[in-house]
C-alpha cells in the first residue's frame, strides 16, 4: 500500500494540479487546515504565480473582508495608495500583518505595472465584513450603493434620500457592539430602523438590476460589478444583523451558515468574470457540510464550497491541504493510521496527491481521524476524501 500511495504523489506545481482535473475550472480552491502560517501562504503565492504564467488565471481571492479587499485591488491594479497603508486597511482578521500576504500584494503590483487593464491581475476578498466578535455596520456598503445609483438614475426611482438613509443607520457602534454576538438582546438587527433598511436595500438592489444596461453604458462594466458587490454586502449584513437578534436555538447555526452564504455569493460573482484561485480554510471550501462546536453547542451548515459546487459543478475544483507537523503549535508527527500519517511517510516535503489513487491504494482500510491539539487546526476528515480533487501535503510548518 505504501508504494501505491507514493505513486499517487507528485511535486506540487500548476501543471501537476491541472493534470488532476478534467479541465481548467472557473474557481480553483486551495484550502488550508489552519490560519496564520506563512509557510502555507508562500505555497499559495507560488502556485498563483505559476497559474498566472501557465494557466491563464488573473484573479486571486482570499478569506478576507470583501469591502476591505477593494483597497488592495485598487493598489495592485492602479497603484492607488502606499503598500503599508494597503496592508493595514485592505485586510480583515489580521491578515495584513502576514509577510506572505505583503509579498503577494507587492508582486501583483509589480506584475501589473505598465500592463493594459485587460492583462492586469486582480485581488478580491470574498468573506463578508464579519469578525468572530460581530459584524460591521451596513453603512459603508449601503451608502456606496445608494450614492452609485443616485449619481446615475432619476432621483424619483430611489426608495429614499441620503439623509433618510443616514438617519436610519444611526451611529455605527450600535451595529458593532461585540456583546451582541453572544447576547441577542444587544443587537439592533430587529429594530424598526433595521427592518426599514432591509426593505431599502432590497429596493436598491432591484433598481440596480433593472437599470443594468443604462449603468454599464453610463459608467463601465467594472463599476457595475462593484455596485453589485455593495448590494450583496448590504443585503447580507442586514440579514446577518437580523439573525443576531434571534433568540431561538438555531441562532448560531443560522449565523455561521449566513457567513458562508455571503462567501458563496461573492465567489459566484467572481466566477462570472474570470478564472480565479480561491484561498481559505478547508472548512469553507469543502464540498461537504461544515461542522464545529461552540462550547457545548454542535453546529452544522453547508459550506461556501458546497454551495458553489452545487451551482458550478466541474467548474469548481477543491484542493484540500494536509499538514504533517506545526511544532510551534504542538502539532507533532501524525499517527501513522491517519491520512496525515500516511502522507507523512512519503519522501517529499511538499506534494500533491490524487485522492482517487489514494482511495484505491487504501482499499478497505479506513484511516482514523487525526485529533487536533489546538482549536485553530482542523485535520482532514477521512470521510470527505471523495470530495477532494487533490490533496496538497506539507510535511513541516515552521514558525515564521
Amino acid at each position: 500500500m505504501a508504494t501505491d500511495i507514493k505513486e499517487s504523489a507528485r511535486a506540487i506545481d500548476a501543471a501537476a494540479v491541472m493534470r488532476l482535473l478534467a479541465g481548467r475550472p472557473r474557481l480553483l480552491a486551495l484550502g488550508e487546515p489552519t490560519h496564520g502560517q506563512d509557510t502555507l501562504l508562500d505555497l499559495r503565492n507560488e502556485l498563483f504565480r505559476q497559474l498566472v504564467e501557465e494557466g491563464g488565471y488573473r484573479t486571486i481571492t482570499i478569506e478576507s473582508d470583501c469591502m476591505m479587499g477593494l483597497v488592495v485591488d485598487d493598489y495592485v491594479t492602479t497603484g492607488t495608495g502606499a503598500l503599508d497603508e494597503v496592508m493595514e486597511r485592505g485586510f480583515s482578521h489580521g491578515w495584513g500583518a502576514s509577510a506572505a500576504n505583503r509579498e503577494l500584494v507587492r508582486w501583483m503590483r509589480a506584475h501589473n505595472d505598465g500592463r493594459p487593464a485587460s492583462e492586469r491581475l486582480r485581488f478580491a476578498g470574498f468573506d463578508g465584513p464579519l469578525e468572530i466578535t460581530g459584524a460591521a455596520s451596513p453603512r459603508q456598503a449601503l451608502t456606496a450603493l445608494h450614492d452609485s445609483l443616485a449619481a446615475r438614475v432619476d432621483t424619483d426611482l430611489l426608495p429614499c434620500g441620503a439623509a433618510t438613509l443616514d438617519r436610519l443607520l444611526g451611529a455605527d457602534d450600535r451595529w458593532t457592539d461585540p456583546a451582541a454576538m453572544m447576547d441577542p438582546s444587544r443587537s439592533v438587527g430587529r429594530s424598526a430602523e433595521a427592518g426599514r433598511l432591509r426593505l431599502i436595500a432590497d429596493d436598491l438592489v432591484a433598481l440596480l438590476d433593472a437599470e443594468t444596461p443604462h449603468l454599464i453604458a453610463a459608467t463601465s462594466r467594472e463599476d457595475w460589478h462593484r455596485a453589485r458587490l455593495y448590494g450583496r454586502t448590504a443585503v447580507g449584513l442586514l440579514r446577518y444583523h437580523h439573525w443576531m437578534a434571534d433568540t431561538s436555538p438555531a441562532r448560531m447555526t443560522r449565523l455561521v451558515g449566513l457567513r458562508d452564504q455571503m462567501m458563496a455569493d461573492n465567489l459566484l460573482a467572481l466566477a462570472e468574470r474570470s478564472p480565479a484561485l480561491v484561498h481559505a480554510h478547508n472548512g469553507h471550501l469543502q464540498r461537504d457540510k461544515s461542522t464545529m462546536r461552540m462550547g457545548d453547542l454542535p453546529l452544522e451548515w453547508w459550506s461556501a464550497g458546497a454551495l458553489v459546487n452545487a451551482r458550478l459543478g466541474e467548474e469548481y475544483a477543491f484542493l484540500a491541504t494536509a499538514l504533517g507537523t506545526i511544532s510551534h503549535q504542538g502539532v507533532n508527527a501524525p499517527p501513522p493510521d491517519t491520512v496525515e500519517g500516511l502522507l507523512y511517510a512519503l519522501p517529499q516535503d511538499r506534494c500533491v496527491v490524487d485522492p482517487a489513487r489514494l482511495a484505491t491504494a487504501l482499499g478497505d482500510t479506513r484511516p482514523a481521524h487525526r485529533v487536533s491539539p489546538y482549536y485553530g487546526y482542523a485535520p482532514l476528515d477521512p470521510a470527505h476524501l471523495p470530495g477532494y480533487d487533490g490533496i496538497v501535503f506539507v510535511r513541516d510548518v515552521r514558525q515564521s
Side-chain angles (χ1 to χ4, degrees):
M1 183 172 71
T3 300
D4 292 336
I5 294 174
K6 182 178 178 180
E7 291 178 353
S8 73
R10 296 286 182 272
I12 182 168
D13 57 26
V17 167
M18 288 302 170
R19 280 195 291 270
L20 296 176
L21 309 176
R24 186 181 71 172
R26 300 288 293 176
L27 296 178
L28 174 58
L30 173 64
E32 61 178 6
T34 188
H35 289 316
Q37 306 300 327
D38 271 2
T39 300
L40 303 182
L41 303 188
D42 288 337
L43 185 152
R44 173 205 67 188
N45 292 354
E46 182 179 337
L47 180 61
F48 181 55
R49 285 192 291 268
Q50 294 171 0
L51 289 169
V52 168
E53 294 164 1
E54 304 171 21
Y57 283 74
R58 290 290 180 269
T59 299
I60 186 168
T61 182
I62 73 169
E63 185 184 336
S64 185
D65 182 332
C66 58
M67 295 292 289
M68 297 178 80
L70 297 174
V71 173
V72 184
D73 190 53
D74 286 343
Y75 176 77
V76 300
T77 54
T78 67
T80 301
L83 181 56
D84 286 345
E85 180 186 12
V86 168
M87 298 311 297
E88 181 178 350
R89 295 179 49 240
F91 293 84
S92 59
H93 312 319
W95 303 156
S98 160
N101 281 336
R102 185 183 184 91
E103 173 57 21
L104 172 68
V105 174
R106 186 209 63 77
W107 176 78
M108 292 178 71
R109 177 66 207 128
H111 182 280
N112 285 341
D113 192 30
R115 294 179 185 266
S118 61
E119 297 179 9
R120 291 175 193 160
L121 305 182
R122 304 296 301 271
F123 178 93
F126 72 92
D127 202 353
L130 308 169
E131 293 282 355
I132 287 227
T133 54
S137 164
R139 174 181 295 279
Q140 181 187 6
L142 196 53
T143 56
L145 175 61
H146 185 278
D147 291 349
S148 177
L149 288 167
R152 298 171 182 92
V153 303
D154 190 324
T155 303
D156 291 339
L157 294 174
L158 298 170
C160 71
T164 299
L165 197 61
D166 183 65
R167 175 178 59 79
L168 292 170
L169 285 163
D172 284 348
D173 58 10
R174 296 192 317 138
W175 300 91
T176 58
D177 180 1
M181 179 51 72
M182 302 310 296
D183 182 358
S185 68
R186 299 289 292 270
S187 172
V188 298
R190 296 196 177 184
S191 64
E193 294 86 354
R196 176 85 185 278
L197 287 168
R198 291 188 77 186
L199 293 174
I200 289 171
D202 182 71
D203 282 340
L204 288 172
V205 170
L207 181 59
L208 174 66
D209 290 342
E211 294 291 323
T212 290
H214 164 66
L215 293 170
I216 291 176
T219 56
S220 67
R221 187 169 294 273
E222 181 58 38
D223 286 343
W224 175 74
H225 278 299
R226 185 164 290 203
R228 290 178 70 206
L229 172 62
Y230 297 150
R232 289 194 304 275
T233 306
V235 169
L237 275 175
L238 286 163
R239 184 183 295 125
Y240 193 92
H241 280 288
H242 175 85
W243 288 103
M244 282 185 74
D246 182 38
T247 58
S248 78
R251 176 178 183 267
M252 291 308 303
T253 297
R254 177 88 68 171
L255 291 178
V256 293
L258 285 174
R259 181 188 177 197
D260 271 65
Q261 185 178 339
M262 291 179 72
M263 288 182 170
D265 288 344
N266 284 328
L267 289 175
L268 289 167
L270 288 169
E272 294 176 8
R273 304 174 65 180
S274 66
L277 177 66
V278 183
H279 189 255
H281 196 280
N282 286 334
H284 290 303
L285 300 179
Q286 66 192 28
R287 289 183 170 93
D288 300 276
K289 275 191 170 181
S290 295
T291 60
M292 66 178 290
R293 295 192 71 86
M294 185 165 286
D296 294 330
L297 183 65
L299 305 179
E300 182 178 271
W301 70 100
W302 287 110
S303 67
L307 296 171
V308 169
N309 182 71
R311 298 277 293 274
L312 295 186
E314 290 186 355
E315 294 274 76
Y316 177 75
F318 171 46
L319 308 175
T321 295
L323 299 177
T325 71
I326 321 173
S327 57
H328 59 280
Q329 295 282 12
V331 181
N332 299 316
D337 61 342
T338 63
V339 173
E340 289 84 354
L342 293 167
L343 300 178
Y344 196 70
L346 297 172
Q348 299 101 317
D349 287 334
R350 302 191 325 179
C351 61
V352 61
V353 177
D354 182 343
R357 296 186 66 181
L358 175 60
T360 299
L362 289 172
D364 294 332
T365 303
R366 293 185 178 275
H369 196 162
R370 187 182 189 184
V371 176
S372 174
Y374 78 101
Y375 175 76
Y377 167 57
L380 294 188
D381 186 340
H384 293 171
L385 281 177
Y388 304 151
D389 294 296
I391 300 174
V392 173
F393 180 69
V394 178
R395 177 183 297 278
D396 299 302
V397 173
R398 295 179 173 85
Q399 194 163 17
S400 301

